[in-house]
Amino acid sequence: MTTFEDKLKYVKDFVQKNLGIPYTNLMQNWHDKNTATNLINGTLTEKQKQYLEKTLTNVHIMDNRDKLEFAKNLVVNWLLEDAIVEIFNNFIFSGSDFTMYYNGNDANRKFSKRAREDPDFVIIDKNENVVSYIELKADYSGFVTSAKAIDMRDNGYETLRKYAGYLLVIDFANQVFYFDSIYNLNAQHINNPNWNGKPAYRLDISNAFSDQLSNLKDLGNNFDFESDEQEEDEDW
């Protein structure tokens, strides 16, 4: 099992290589910056521990994780999401009419009792029209590349299909990424043992676009969000 420290190192390196800044720069405007920083450094105060204990009450998405472990994973996810927004807006969408925005209820980086299954990001054009949505999944074990598959919670998968969105999967262990329309990915309904047997979908990413993670900035050369019209399969 990949540790929090391993995940954090992967994301720190990703931020440094792609943005040329320390990961702490991404945390400057976080609502819960101090708690997140102390969580990373292992220096939580008793008051901060009580705050997390009181706030993180969504048992459904915590699975087997205790609240501190769950909070650590949230911080890693927030850092990665912040880096992805910077990469899309400063590189992939540079010179285009598109802008990526956060779409979740934790965009201000405040630990919350609520959790939504909405896609992580929304893409808006210059006329403020919604162009598409993107869901981000990170794998630190190398599973997605060896299995050519990624698991999504059932509600998250069904919501992404409803929004006709895209899935971006980053395999940090193998330093590759996968990207495709959710409609292009065959899905099998499963009960995921890592999520206490909760219903999920296993998505086949063997035919998704893939490249070295170092080339993520060039994704715009392979996808035209403006002209890409997605058609939903009738049978899924």
Side-chain angles (χ1 to χ4, degrees):
M1 182 177 179
T2 311
T3 66
F4 164 71
E5 289 74 18
D6 290 336
K7 293 178 182 179
L8 183 61
K9 185 179 186 307
Y10 275 128
V11 173
K12 283 182 181 180
D13 292 345
F14 178 74
V15 172
Q16 186 65 49
K17 289 177 181 177
N18 286 276
L19 301 176
I21 60 174
Y23 76 97
T24 50
N25 284 24
L26 297 175
M27 303 171 66
Q28 293 305 310
N29 296 318
W30 286 17
H31 183 282
D32 284 343
K33 172 187 172 183
N34 292 336
T35 300
T37 299
N38 288 352
L39 192 62
I40 289 172
N41 296 330
T43 56
L44 281 176
T45 65
E46 283 303 315
K47 185 176 181 180
Q48 289 170 334
K49 290 179 182 177
Q50 292 171 9
Y51 166 64
L52 292 175
E53 189 69 26
K54 181 180 179 180
T55 303
L56 300 176
T57 57
N58 196 315
V59 178
H60 178 73
I61 63 171
M62 289 176 61
D63 304 321
N64 293 319
R65 297 171 289 188
D66 62 35
K67 292 185 178 181
L68 286 184
E69 182 185 1
F70 179 70
K72 287 179 179 179
N73 277 281
L74 273 180
V75 169
V76 170
N77 290 343
W78 289 347
L79 286 169
L80 180 56
E81 288 175 5
D82 286 6
I84 291 298
V85 168
E86 293 294 321
I87 290 170
F88 266 80
N89 288 336
N90 292 312
F91 298 98
I92 297 173
F93 289 157
S94 177
S96 77
D97 295 331
F98 305 127
T99 304
M100 173 183 275
Y101 293 96
Y102 302 102
N103 191 53
N105 65 327
D106 56 0
N108 65 347
R109 302 322 188 200
K110 175 179 171 61
F111 293 101
S112 174
K113 296 180 180 180
R114 296 168 298 143
R116 297 196 323 230
E117 295 288 354
D118 290 339
D120 294 315
F121 312 109
V122 59
I123 299 170
I124 306 293
D125 67 16
K126 65 180 180 179
N127 297 317
E128 299 187 355
N129 298 311
V130 173
V131 177
S132 193
Y133 294 84
I134 296 179
E135 176 73 10
L136 171 66
K137 294 297 178 186
D139 172 45
Y140 302 91
S141 67
F143 167 79
V144 297
T145 296
S146 62
K148 287 293 187 288
I150 183 72
D151 292 351
M152 288 185 68
R153 295 178 186 275
D154 56 347
N155 289 339
Y157 171 76
E158 291 160 4
T159 300
L160 191 60
R161 284 191 65 92
K162 181 180 74 173
Y163 286 130
Y166 290 85
L167 182 65
L168 171 62
V169 180
I170 296 179
D171 177 348
F172 279 104
N174 291 292
Q175 290 293 294
V176 298
F177 73 91
Y178 302 84
F179 187 80
D180 212 334
S181 161
I182 193 68
Y183 289 154
N184 293 338
L185 306 176
N186 293 327
Q188 176 187 5
H189 199 264
I190 64 169
N191 293 313
N192 192 309
N194 296 321
W195 299 335
N196 287 341
K198 294 186 179 77
Y201 286 91
R202 177 156 293 175
L203 279 61
D204 181 354
I205 60 171
S206 57
N207 293 320
F209 174 81
S210 65
D211 201 348
Q212 294 298 307
L213 189 53
S214 57
N215 294 328
L216 179 59
K217 292 178 180 179
D218 299 324
L219 181 61
N221 296 332
N222 298 283
F223 284 87
D224 183 351
F225 289 91
E226 187 170 25
S227 64
D228 185 36
E229 297 182 358
Q230 303 182 58
E231 296 183 359
E232 182 173 4
D233 299 331
E234 294 182 0
D235 184 14
W236 62 280

